[in-house]
């Protein structure tokens, strides 16, 4: 159910400065976005799985906090990331 090592490594190499750059806000937001996509499809398949719904809400909150932080710190990077991830149409 969680992201595989290959998926995580691909996201980290795409959004991070190097392969070990997991603390970067952009990388964390991209990883959470991928996890949200997985949990959303899982919740649609299994609507009675309340644990997955709770996890989904928790992860959405984490991503929201990171997005607010990135917006305050670097508005241009925030806008580019939103466009690249396809968030907020």
């Amino acid at each position: 159910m969680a992201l595989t090592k290959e998926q995580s490594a691909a996201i980290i190499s795409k959004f991070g400065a190097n392969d070990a750059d997991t603390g970067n806000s952009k990388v964390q937001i991209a990883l959470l976005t991928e996890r949200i996509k997985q949990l959303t499809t899982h919740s649609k398949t299994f609507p009675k799985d309340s644990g997955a719904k709770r996890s989904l809400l928790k992860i959405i909150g984490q991503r929201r906090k990171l997005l607010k932080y990135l917006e305050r710190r670097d508005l241009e990077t925030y806008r580019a990331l939103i466009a690249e991830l396809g968030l907020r149409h």
Side-chain angles (χ1 to χ4, degrees), residues 39-52:
L39 279 173
T40 302
T41 57
H42 175 82
S43 293
K44 287 179 183 176
T45 307
F46 303 101
K48 293 185 178 183
D49 188 358
S50 59

Side-chain angles (χ1 to χ4, degrees), residues 42-89:
H42 175 82
S43 293
K44 287 179 183 176
T45 307
F46 303 101
K48 293 185 178 183
D49 188 358
S50 59
K53 288 180 186 177
R54 184 177 186 282
S55 300
L56 180 61
L57 291 175
K58 186 176 177 182
I59 292 172
I60 289 172
Q62 288 175 346
R63 184 180 70 177
R64 185 180 307 132
K65 288 177 191 176
L66 284 169
L67 283 170
K68 284 172 115 176
Y69 168 78
L70 189 61
E71 184 180 20
R72 281 194 321 265
R73 298 305 245 171
D74 190 1
L75 188 59
E76 291 303 317
T77 304
Y78 168 78
R79 289 180 179 160
L81 184 65
I82 291 288
E84 192 168 353
L85 292 175
L87 302 175
R88 301 198 183 138
H89 303 289

Side-chain angles (χ1 to χ4, degrees), residues 5-67:
K5 289 183 182 183
E6 293 81 19
Q7 290 172 328
S8 296
I11 292 171
I12 291 168
S13 65
K14 182 176 180 181
F15 291 99
N18 56 31
D19 290 340
D21 189 16
T22 57
N24 192 342
S25 299
K26 293 184 344 181
V27 174
Q28 290 181 17
I29 292 168
L31 287 170
L32 288 173
T33 300
E34 188 61 34
R35 185 77 175 117
I36 288 169
K37 288 177 186 176
Q38 284 184 351
L39 279 173
T40 302
T41 57
H42 175 82
S43 293
K44 287 179 183 176
T45 307
F46 303 101
K48 293 185 178 183
D49 188 358
S50 59
K53 288 180 186 177
R54 184 177 186 282
S55 300
L56 180 61
L57 291 175
K58 186 176 177 182
I59 292 172
I60 289 172
Q62 288 175 346
R63 184 180 70 177
R64 185 180 307 132
K65 288 177 191 176
L66 284 169
L67 283 170

